[in-house]
Amino acid sequence: MKLNYFTKRLSTVGRWLATTLFCVSAIAFVWQGAFFSNTSAMAAPTANLIASAGTSDQVKGKVHEDTGRAKNFIEDAKDKVKETANKNAERVEDATDGNGSFVERKANRDAARIEKRANEDAARTEKAVDNTKNVVERTVDSIKDAFSN
C-alpha cells in the first residue's frame, strides 16, 4: 500500500517536472526567436538606444508617475495607521466608560505615539522615494550624455 502511494506521488511530481521543463523550453525558444529575428538592429545598434531623447523622456515620465503613485500609497498607509490607532484608543475609552483611568490615558498616549511614528516613517519613506527618483533621473541623464558624445 505504501509503495503504491509513493509511486503515485512520484508520478505526479514527474509530470509537473516534465510540464515545467516543456514550458521553460518553449519560453526559451520564443525568446530567442524574438531577439534574433531582426538582424538589422544588430547592424545599426545606435538606432535603438536608451539614450535617445524620446526614450529618456519616457523613462523620466514613468519614474515621475510611479513616484506619485508611491507617495499616494505612503500617505494612504499613514492615514490608515492613524485611523486604526485612534479607533483603538476610542474602543479603550468606551470600554473604560471614559473615566480617565490609567488604561485610557495609556491608550491615548500610545495612539499619539503611533501617529507621531507614522508621520516620521512616512516622511522618511517619501524622502527615500524622492532620492530613488533623483538617482534614476541622474542615471538616465548620464547614459544620455555618455552616448551623445
Side-chain angles (χ1 to χ4, degrees), residues 111-133:
R113 187 170 6 110
I114 289 170
E115 283 187 30
K116 179 183 172 199
R117 291 287 304 270
N119 287 331
E120 292 170 354
D121 291 345
R124 262 195 319 268
T125 307
E126 286 179 0
K127 184 178 177 183
V129 167
D130 285 336
N131 289 343
T132 303
K133 178 186 119 186

PDB file of all heavy atoms in Angstrom, residues 111-133:
ATOM      1  N   ALA A 111      -1.719  55.993  21.155  1.00  0.00           N
ATOM      2  CA  ALA A 111      -2.269  56.475  19.881  1.00  0.00           C
ATOM      3  C   ALA A 111      -1.488  57.686  19.385  1.00  0.00           C
ATOM      4  O   ALA A 111      -1.168  57.784  18.193  1.00  0.00           O
ATOM      5  CB  ALA A 111      -3.747  56.818  20.033  1.00  0.00           C
ATOM      6  N   ALA A 112      -1.164  58.605  20.301  1.00  0.00           N
ATOM      7  CA  ALA A 112      -0.382  59.785  19.902  1.00  0.00           C
ATOM      8  C   ALA A 112       1.016  59.377  19.429  1.00  0.00           C
ATOM      9  O   ALA A 112       1.523  59.914  18.433  1.00  0.00           O
ATOM     10  CB  ALA A 112      -0.287  60.757  21.071  1.00  0.00           C
ATOM     11  N   ARG A 113       1.630  58.426  20.131  1.00  0.00           N
ATOM     12  CA  ARG A 113       2.962  57.957  19.741  1.00  0.00           C
ATOM     13  C   ARG A 113       2.918  57.255  18.384  1.00  0.00           C
ATOM     14  O   ARG A 113       3.790  57.453  17.537  1.00  0.00           O
ATOM     15  CB  ARG A 113       3.526  57.017  20.798  1.00  0.00           C
ATOM     16  CG  ARG A 113       4.958  56.631  20.520  1.00  0.00           C
ATOM     17  CD  ARG A 113       5.636  55.891  21.672  1.00  0.00           C
ATOM     18  NE  ARG A 113       4.810  55.541  22.789  1.00  0.00           N
ATOM     19  CZ  ARG A 113       4.437  54.293  23.096  1.00  0.00           C
ATOM     20  NH1 ARG A 113       4.830  53.287  22.358  1.00  0.00           N
ATOM     21  NH2 ARG A 113       3.690  54.057  24.152  1.00  0.00           N
ATOM     22  N   ILE A 114       1.885  56.469  18.153  1.00  0.00           N
ATOM     23  CA  ILE A 114       1.734  55.774  16.869  1.00  0.00           C
ATOM     24  C   ILE A 114       1.551  56.783  15.737  1.00  0.00           C
ATOM     25  O   ILE A 114       2.138  56.646  14.663  1.00  0.00           O
ATOM     26  CB  ILE A 114       0.569  54.769  16.928  1.00  0.00           C
ATOM     27  CG1 ILE A 114       0.946  53.587  17.824  1.00  0.00           C
ATOM     28  CG2 ILE A 114       0.177  54.292  15.540  1.00  0.00           C
ATOM     29  CD1 ILE A 114      -0.198  52.661  18.139  1.00  0.00           C
ATOM     30  N   GLU A 115       0.736  57.828  15.979  1.00  0.00           N
ATOM     31  CA  GLU A 115       0.550  58.869  14.955  1.00  0.00           C
ATOM     32  C   GLU A 115       1.866  59.574  14.647  1.00  0.00           C
ATOM     33  O   GLU A 115       2.192  59.825  13.490  1.00  0.00           O
ATOM     34  CB  GLU A 115      -0.488  59.880  15.420  1.00  0.00           C
ATOM     35  CG  GLU A 115      -1.904  59.401  15.307  1.00  0.00           C
ATOM     36  CD  GLU A 115      -2.898  60.498  15.616  1.00  0.00           C
ATOM     37  OE1 GLU A 115      -2.585  61.677  15.363  1.00  0.00           O
ATOM     38  OE2 GLU A 115      -3.991  60.173  16.082  1.00  0.00           O
ATOM     39  N   LYS A 116       2.622  59.893  15.705  1.00  0.00           N
ATOM     40  CA  LYS A 116       3.908  60.571  15.506  1.00  0.00           C
ATOM     41  C   LYS A 116       4.853  59.689  14.708  1.00  0.00           C
ATOM     42  O   LYS A 116       5.493  60.149  13.750  1.00  0.00           O
ATOM     43  CB  LYS A 116       4.517  60.906  16.868  1.00  0.00           C
ATOM     44  CG  LYS A 116       5.863  61.589  16.789  1.00  0.00           C
ATOM     45  CD  LYS A 116       6.434  61.829  18.171  1.00  0.00           C
ATOM     46  CE  LYS A 116       7.853  62.332  18.057  1.00  0.00           C
ATOM     47  NZ  LYS A 116       8.587  62.170  19.282  1.00  0.00           N
ATOM     48  N   ARG A 117       4.940  58.411  15.063  1.00  0.00           N
ATOM     49  CA  ARG A 117       5.819  57.483  14.334  1.00  0.00           C
ATOM     50  C   ARG A 117       5.355  57.294  12.902  1.00  0.00           C
ATOM     51  O   ARG A 117       6.170  57.167  11.988  1.00  0.00           O
ATOM     52  CB  ARG A 117       5.870  56.133  15.047  1.00  0.00           C
ATOM     53  CG  ARG A 117       6.583  56.122  16.376  1.00  0.00           C
ATOM     54  CD  ARG A 117       8.088  56.228  16.256  1.00  0.00           C
ATOM     55  NE  ARG A 117       8.694  55.223  15.438  1.00  0.00           N
ATOM     56  CZ  ARG A 117       9.141  54.057  15.862  1.00  0.00           C
ATOM     57  NH1 ARG A 117       9.041  53.740  17.126  1.00  0.00           N
ATOM     58  NH2 ARG A 117       9.683  53.206  15.031  1.00  0.00           N
ATOM     59  N   ALA A 118       4.040  57.270  12.689  1.00  0.00           N
ATOM     60  CA  ALA A 118       3.518  57.124  11.324  1.00  0.00           C
ATOM     61  C   ALA A 118       3.940  58.315  10.475  1.00  0.00           C
ATOM     62  O   ALA A 118       4.339  58.154   9.314  1.00  0.00           O
ATOM     63  CB  ALA A 118       2.003  56.980  11.341  1.00  0.00           C
ATOM     64  N   ASN A 119       3.862  59.522  11.051  1.00  0.00           N
ATOM     65  CA  ASN A 119       4.289  60.718  10.314  1.00  0.00           C
ATOM     66  C   ASN A 119       5.785  60.664  10.004  1.00  0.00           C
ATOM     67  O   ASN A 119       6.213  60.972   8.889  1.00  0.00           O
ATOM     68  CB  ASN A 119       3.967  61.987  11.109  1.00  0.00           C
ATOM     69  CG  ASN A 119       2.492  62.300  11.122  1.00  0.00           C
ATOM     70  OD1 ASN A 119       1.761  61.963  10.196  1.00  0.00           O
ATOM     71  ND2 ASN A 119       2.047  62.942  12.184  1.00  0.00           N
ATOM     72  N   GLU A 120       6.584  60.271  10.994  1.00  0.00           N
ATOM     73  CA  GLU A 120       8.037  60.193  10.791  1.00  0.00           C
ATOM     74  C   GLU A 120       8.400  59.134   9.752  1.00  0.00           C
ATOM     75  O   GLU A 120       9.221  59.377   8.860  1.00  0.00           O
ATOM     76  CB  GLU A 120       8.733  59.876  12.111  1.00  0.00           C
ATOM     77  CG  GLU A 120       8.664  60.983  13.126  1.00  0.00           C
ATOM     78  CD  GLU A 120       9.144  60.553  14.500  1.00  0.00           C
ATOM     79  OE1 GLU A 120       9.434  59.341  14.690  1.00  0.00           O
ATOM     80  OE2 GLU A 120       9.233  61.411  15.393  1.00  0.00           O
ATOM     81  N   ASP A 121       7.777  57.971   9.861  1.00  0.00           N
ATOM     82  CA  ASP A 121       8.065  56.890   8.913  1.00  0.00           C
ATOM     83  C   ASP A 121       7.643  57.262   7.502  1.00  0.00           C
ATOM     84  O   ASP A 121       8.353  56.985   6.532  1.00  0.00           O
ATOM     85  CB  ASP A 121       7.378  55.600   9.338  1.00  0.00           C
ATOM     86  CG  ASP A 121       7.977  54.995  10.597  1.00  0.00           C
ATOM     87  OD1 ASP A 121       9.092  55.416  10.983  1.00  0.00           O
ATOM     88  OD2 ASP A 121       7.339  54.115  11.194  1.00  0.00           O
ATOM     89  N   ALA A 122       6.485  57.911   7.377  1.00  0.00           N
ATOM     90  CA  ALA A 122       6.012  58.327   6.054  1.00  0.00           C
ATOM     91  C   ALA A 122       6.958  59.360   5.454  1.00  0.00           C
ATOM     92  O   ALA A 122       7.280  59.299   4.263  1.00  0.00           O
ATOM     93  CB  ALA A 122       4.591  58.878   6.149  1.00  0.00           C
ATOM     94  N   ALA A 123       7.426  60.301   6.268  1.00  0.00           N
ATOM     95  CA  ALA A 123       8.352  61.322   5.766  1.00  0.00           C
ATOM     96  C   ALA A 123       9.666  60.680   5.320  1.00  0.00           C
ATOM     97  O   ALA A 123      10.203  61.025   4.260  1.00  0.00           O
ATOM     98  CB  ALA A 123       8.610  62.372   6.844  1.00  0.00           C
ATOM     99  N   ARG A 124      10.183  59.728   6.111  1.00  0.00           N
ATOM    100  CA  ARG A 124      11.424  59.036   5.728  1.00  0.00           C
ATOM    101  C   ARG A 124      11.241  58.243   4.446  1.00  0.00           C
ATOM    102  O   ARG A 124      12.108  58.253   3.562  1.00  0.00           O
ATOM    103  CB  ARG A 124      11.855  58.084   6.857  1.00  0.00           C
ATOM    104  CG  ARG A 124      12.907  58.634   7.757  1.00  0.00           C
ATOM    105  CD  ARG A 124      13.562  57.552   8.609  1.00  0.00           C
ATOM    106  NE  ARG A 124      12.660  56.559   9.155  1.00  0.00           N
ATOM    107  CZ  ARG A 124      12.078  56.627  10.349  1.00  0.00           C
ATOM    108  NH1 ARG A 124      12.304  57.658  11.126  1.00  0.00           N
ATOM    109  NH2 ARG A 124      11.298  55.667  10.770  1.00  0.00           N
ATOM    110  N   THR A 125      10.116  57.565   4.328  1.00  0.00           N
ATOM    111  CA  THR A 125       9.866  56.755   3.139  1.00  0.00           C
ATOM    112  C   THR A 125       9.706  57.634   1.903  1.00  0.00           C
ATOM    113  O   THR A 125      10.217  57.320   0.830  1.00  0.00           O
ATOM    114  CB  THR A 125       8.629  55.871   3.347  1.00  0.00           C
ATOM    115  OG1 THR A 125       8.779  55.133   4.560  1.00  0.00           O
ATOM    116  CG2 THR A 125       8.438  54.913   2.196  1.00  0.00           C
ATOM    117  N   GLU A 126       8.989  58.754   2.041  1.00  0.00           N
ATOM    118  CA  GLU A 126       8.829  59.671   0.916  1.00  0.00           C
ATOM    119  C   GLU A 126      10.178  60.261   0.508  1.00  0.00           C
ATOM    120  O   GLU A 126      10.447  60.442  -0.686  1.00  0.00           O
ATOM    121  CB  GLU A 126       7.839  60.770   1.256  1.00  0.00           C
ATOM    122  CG  GLU A 126       6.403  60.291   1.267  1.00  0.00           C
ATOM    123  CD  GLU A 126       5.413  61.379   1.636  1.00  0.00           C
ATOM    124  OE1 GLU A 126       5.827  62.533   1.890  1.00  0.00           O
ATOM    125  OE2 GLU A 126       4.210  61.069   1.668  1.00  0.00           O
ATOM    126  N   LYS A 127      11.033  60.546   1.479  1.00  0.00           N
ATOM    127  CA  LYS A 127      12.366  61.056   1.159  1.00  0.00           C
ATOM    128  C   LYS A 127      13.163  59.996   0.396  1.00  0.00           C
ATOM    129  O   LYS A 127      13.861  60.308  -0.574  1.00  0.00           O
ATOM    130  CB  LYS A 127      13.098  61.446   2.443  1.00  0.00           C
ATOM    131  CG  LYS A 127      14.452  62.063   2.198  1.00  0.00           C
ATOM    132  CD  LYS A 127      15.108  62.484   3.494  1.00  0.00           C
ATOM    133  CE  LYS A 127      16.498  63.044   3.221  1.00  0.00           C
ATOM    134  NZ  LYS A 127      17.196  63.384   4.441  1.00  0.00           N
ATOM    135  N   ALA A 128      13.047  58.731   0.806  1.00  0.00           N
ATOM    136  CA  ALA A 128      13.740  57.648   0.104  1.00  0.00           C
ATOM    137  C   ALA A 128      13.208  57.500  -1.319  1.00  0.00           C
ATOM    138  O   ALA A 128      13.983  57.265  -2.254  1.00  0.00           O
ATOM    139  CB  ALA A 128      13.580  56.337   0.868  1.00  0.00           C
ATOM    140  N   VAL A 129      11.899  57.661  -1.501  1.00  0.00           N
ATOM    141  CA  VAL A 129      11.311  57.591  -2.845  1.00  0.00           C
ATOM    142  C   VAL A 129      11.855  58.721  -3.708  1.00  0.00           C
ATOM    143  O   VAL A 129      12.219  58.524  -4.871  1.00  0.00           O
ATOM    144  CB  VAL A 129       9.764  57.623  -2.766  1.00  0.00           C
ATOM    145  CG1 VAL A 129       9.152  57.874  -4.126  1.00  0.00           C
ATOM    146  CG2 VAL A 129       9.237  56.326  -2.183  1.00  0.00           C
ATOM    147  N   ASP A 130      11.925  59.925  -3.134  1.00  0.00           N
ATOM    148  CA  ASP A 130      12.476  61.062  -3.884  1.00  0.00           C
ATOM    149  C   ASP A 130      13.942  60.830  -4.239  1.00  0.00           C
ATOM    150  O   ASP A 130      14.373  61.142  -5.355  1.00  0.00           O
ATOM    151  CB  ASP A 130      12.332  62.351  -3.074  1.00  0.00           C
ATOM    152  CG  ASP A 130      10.907  62.873  -3.051  1.00  0.00           C
ATOM    153  OD1 ASP A 130      10.143  62.549  -3.979  1.00  0.00           O
ATOM    154  OD2 ASP A 130      10.559  63.603  -2.101  1.00  0.00           O
ATOM    155  N   ASN A 131      14.714  60.300  -3.296  1.00  0.00           N
ATOM    156  CA  ASN A 131      16.127  60.008  -3.570  1.00  0.00           C
ATOM    157  C   ASN A 131      16.266  58.988  -4.694  1.00  0.00           C
ATOM    158  O   ASN A 131      17.114  59.137  -5.575  1.00  0.00           O
ATOM    159  CB  ASN A 131      16.830  59.515  -2.314  1.00  0.00           C
ATOM    160  CG  ASN A 131      17.019  60.615  -1.293  1.00  0.00           C
ATOM    161  OD1 ASN A 131      16.927  61.792  -1.606  1.00  0.00           O
ATOM    162  ND2 ASN A 131      17.258  60.229  -0.056  1.00  0.00           N
ATOM    163  N   THR A 132      15.429  57.972  -4.673  1.00  0.00           N
ATOM    164  CA  THR A 132      15.466  56.955  -5.725  1.00  0.00           C
ATOM    165  C   THR A 132      15.107  57.566  -7.070  1.00  0.00           C
ATOM    166  O   THR A 132      15.745  57.285  -8.084  1.00  0.00           O
ATOM    167  CB  THR A 132      14.511  55.802  -5.379  1.00  0.00           C
ATOM    168  OG1 THR A 132      14.870  55.260  -4.116  1.00  0.00           O
ATOM    169  CG2 THR A 132      14.553  54.719  -6.437  1.00  0.00           C
ATOM    170  N   LYS A 133      14.089  58.421  -7.065  1.00  0.00           N
ATOM    171  CA  LYS A 133      13.693  59.091  -8.311  1.00  0.00           C
ATOM    172  C   LYS A 133      14.843  59.927  -8.853  1.00  0.00           C
ATOM    173  O   LYS A 133      15.144  59.895 -10.053  1.00  0.00           O
ATOM    174  CB  LYS A 133      12.475  59.977  -8.065  1.00  0.00           C
ATOM    175  CG  LYS A 133      12.007  60.755  -9.279  1.00  0.00           C
ATOM    176  CD  LYS A 133      10.904  61.714  -8.909  1.00  0.00           C
ATOM    177  CE  LYS A 133      11.401  63.080  -9.210  1.00  0.00           C
ATOM    178  NZ  LYS A 133      10.608  64.173  -8.823  1.00  0.00           N
TER     179      LYS A 133
END
